[in-house]
């Protein structure tokens, strides 16, 4: 086997976030290091309406945060209310 053509593989960890037994979403976990060498975990989950991304220092914290975000988005309708807007020059601007 040629030295330049070694077999490369990537280990992928699957992750699940859930709001109820019927509402489960799967994603992948990446283990990374920041510029200071501290390790952290990152996950991206594809949901019905888009992507849910989160990172944390620990996998348990990441899981808790993803579960809570799924509950807020899917069960409590976090993005259902567009908020207060004002039309300026034909464009809606959100008022914070």
């Amino acid at each position: 086997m040629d030295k330049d053509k070694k077999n490369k593989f990537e280990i992928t960890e699957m992750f699940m976030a859930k709001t109820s037994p019927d509402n489960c979403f799967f994603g992948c976990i990446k283990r990374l290091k920041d510029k200071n060498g501290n390790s952290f975990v990152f996950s991206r989950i594809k949901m019905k309406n888009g992507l849910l991304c989160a990172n944390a220092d620990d996998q348990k914290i990441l899981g808790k945060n993803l579960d809570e975000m799924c509950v807020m988005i899917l069960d409590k309708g976090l993005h259902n209310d567009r908020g207060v807007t004002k039309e300026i020059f034909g464009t809606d601007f959100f008022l914070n």
Side-chain angles (χ1 to χ4, degrees):
M1 177 183 257
D2 188 14
K3 289 182 181 180
D4 295 334
K5 292 189 177 187
K6 292 183 181 178
N7 290 336
K8 293 184 181 182
F9 63 93
E10 182 177 336
I11 297 173
T12 302
E13 286 184 75
M14 295 298 292
F15 193 83
M16 181 180 75
K18 63 180 179 174
T19 62
S20 67
D22 298 330
N23 249 348
C24 298
F25 300 94
F26 294 93
C28 295
I29 291 178
K30 290 186 179 182
R31 298 181 182 277
L32 306 165
K33 293 192 179 209
D34 63 10
K35 64 181 180 180
N36 297 326
N38 301 323
S39 60
F40 67 95
V41 288
F42 171 81
S43 181
R44 182 180 358 209
I45 297 175
K46 185 174 182 191
M47 298 177 66
K48 296 174 187 175
N49 302 344
L51 292 174
L52 179 63
C53 300
N55 66 353
D57 296 333
D58 181 277
Q59 187 170 336
K60 287 185 180 187
I61 295 170
L62 176 72
K64 182 177 177 261
N65 291 344
L66 286 169
D67 286 344
E68 287 177 3
M69 284 190 285
C70 282
V71 168
M72 287 189 305
I73 292 169
L74 295 174
D75 293 346
K76 297 187 179 178
L78 179 66
H79 297 296
N80 292 346
D81 183 11
R82 292 185 44 140
V84 179
T85 61
K86 180 169 179 101
E87 185 178 334
I88 302 172
F89 298 114
T91 304
D92 285 341
F93 286 91
F94 294 98
L95 304 176
N96 305 23

